[in-house]
Amino acid sequence: MQKFSQNKLLILVIFFLVQKMGMSQQILELSVGTAAGNIIDRNIYGHFSEHLGRCIYDGFWAADSLNVPKKDRIRLDVVEALKKINIPNLRWPGGCFADEYHWRDGIGPRTQRPKMVNTNWGGITEDNSFGTHEFLELCSLLNCEPYIAGNVGSGTVEEMSHWVEYLNFDGESPLTNIRKQNGRAEPWRVKYWGVGNESWGCGGNMTAEFYADEYKRYATYTRNYPASSLRKIASGANAADYHWTEVLMKNVGPRRMWGLSLHYYTIPSGNWGKKGSATKFDEKEYFNTMKNCLVMEELINKHSAIMDKYDSAKRVALVVDEWGIWTDVEPGTNPSFLYQQNSMRDALIAATTLNIFNNHSDRVKMANLAQTVNVLQSLILTKGTDMLLTPTYYVFDLYKIHQDAKLLPVHFESPSYSSGNEEIPAVNISASKDSTGKIHISLVNLDPLNNIIIKTRIEGESWKKVTGRVLTSTNLTDINSFENKNRVVPGVFTGAKKEGNDLVVTLPAKSIVVLEIND
Ligand code: AHR
């Protein structure tokens, strides 16, 4: 059997999309070229943990008295679940919280750490028991890269500069002596460094021009120490604020920043005042949600086009360090804690967004879903000693095969999924080839009613075997609850077969399928 070769790259795929209702048939051609593909940076599959609601406290960081497996107070059941999906990086301490966080309050003996008020998220008292050492211990247990957001809004250049010295300097200095007294001899060599967060809003309400100057001042003094080069990430645009990206690229430019961020949340109703329920929605609201989710592609295209003007070599990464669905909170929970359940709809959002990121991974090098545990589009929900994995978790499990694999560009025309006079593409796809030569294709069908038959011809490659996994459920509103944790879980996919040299897939309605093709 001939191996998938890098140079024999043209894989011609013909999609015959037939709606199961049997009414229409479309034949589409897809060509996939391995030579042109860049690597899908594993950091696209990153996560975010803020001092917000029950993400850190009661999520990652449990009370001493809680009877769960722990290292110090870090919940090991949560750690084990995240290790299984190969979490590449974790962003901390915020979010809005980052711009009122003073890192020195979170080091040293815990009983002596000053308390503070978390004014962004409910005015609760923060005891600072989870600080720098605890976060970096968590990352070490997770085997992932830390991504720290420094305080520009209410902090000083000196404070940020000292934090980096404390973290990354290997020599003798007053700060490294304090680090050693606090039990850490070696520097951590933190690489990913955010210079503020949402500096247009909760991070200081700055103009783009003012922030660009501030960025340069802060970034100048966040030093690269021997063997500890920082990848500095500028606080980027809110959704479609293209002026922000233009000014940052023009006034700061590729030499001074490794990445520029972008924040975009999917709001079901499109209205921040009344976002919509996480679990109770009809098909119209589902359609609107997916339409809003797909805006991510337009945002990436437009921000990337601006970045290309100033950086045709694509040195600056677009870092989508906050994304996901944001709904009304679960009834009866603290509105400031942003606790929401997670349904099959959320899984479709995650899978679609990750397909978009994969397909734009020439510019998008990092992303962080908001937020890992108990906040917004979570992977994990906890309740006392109990925990559950959400449908979104399983998408990251299915898609981990794309991490650091070579992107295979896909070209096809999707059938539409329509509601009233509006329509959106029903299907989205991304594909990659891993270091062992296996091809993976992730396919999403947003149409809640119609299966779609996909006939794929792979030319120039011979292959023998296709296997797959599928995530779907009876209803879009289905969730994993503490009473029924396995309602939405992946299963073996039997809807793909080889016919001649064609791959024929019956893609179920409202499903996510990941196929593995090898010889
Ligand atoms: O993720 C919740 C909040 O959303 C973050 O703190 C902030 O950066 C954004 O507005």
Side-chain angles (χ1 to χ4, degrees), residues 179-340:
R179 186 185 74 214
K180 287 170 195 159
Q181 278 161 28
N182 288 335
R184 175 77 188 194
E186 299 296 313
W188 284 281
R189 305 195 194 286
V190 171
K191 206 189 291 177
Y192 296 99
W193 192 263
V195 181
N197 168 75
E198 295 195 351
S199 302
W200 40 263
C202 63
N205 286 303
M206 303 175 201
T207 62
E209 291 76 7
F210 183 79
Y211 172 70
D213 286 347
E214 286 291 277
Y215 172 88
K216 285 185 273 192
R217 206 160 67 88
Y218 278 78
T220 300
Y221 298 98
T222 47
R223 302 293 191 192
N224 292 327
Y225 291 100
S228 294
S229 260
L230 288 174
R231 294 185 165 184
K232 295 172 199 170
I233 299 166
S235 170
N238 178 21
D241 182 354
Y242 300 114
H243 174 73
W244 189 277
T245 297
E246 183 88 44
V247 171
L248 265 288
M249 289 304 294
K250 190 169 163 211
N251 294 10
V252 177
R255 269 193 323 108
R256 288 199 180 92
M257 58 183 166
W258 177 83
L260 177 59
S261 78
L262 167 67
H263 288 183
Y264 176 69
Y265 285 98
T266 297
I267 311 297
S269 67
N271 170 2
W272 281 92
K274 185 141 185 38
K275 301 176 198 73
S277 161
T279 53
K280 295 185 179 61
F281 51 88
D282 58 16
E283 196 190 328
K284 178 73 192 154
E285 182 146 310
Y286 164 71
F287 178 89
N288 284 339
T289 308
M290 297 318 303
K291 194 178 77 179
N292 294 339
C293 162
L294 289 165
V295 168
M296 182 65 90
E297 177 131 47
E298 177 187 328
L299 294 175
I300 291 174
N301 280 330
K302 291 188 174 167
H303 285 290
S304 298
I306 297 167
M307 294 173 84
D308 287 349
K309 271 202 307 183
Y310 299 94
D311 173 33
S312 55
K314 298 187 192 296
R315 288 171 58 183
V316 181
L318 186 57
V319 178
V320 190
D321 54 16
E322 287 187 32
W323 67 273
I325 181 172
W326 191 326
T327 68
D328 297 334
V329 298
E330 277 301 290
T333 63
N334 185 330
S336 300
F337 282 14
L338 310 186
Y339 177 78
Q340 61 191 50

Side-chain angles (χ1 to χ4, degrees), residues 48 50 52 91 93-98 120-121 197-198 200 202 263 265 272 322 326 338 370-371 375-376:
F48 175 31
E50 181 168 8
L52 192 179
R91 180 173 183 247
C96 295
F97 181 79
N120 282 291
W121 306 116
N197 168 75
E198 295 195 351
W200 40 263
C202 63
H263 288 183
Y265 285 98
W272 281 92
E322 287 187 32
W326 191 326
L338 310 186
Q371 299 190 5
V375 170
L376 300 177

Side-chain angles (χ1 to χ4, degrees), residues 464-483:
K464 260 189 194 149
K465 204 174 147 202
V466 58
T467 53
R469 292 172 78 202
V470 59
L471 187 67
T472 188
S473 198
T474 313
N475 307 299
L476 287 162
T477 50
D478 286 349
I479 59 170
N480 293 335
S481 64
F482 286 96
E483 293 69 44

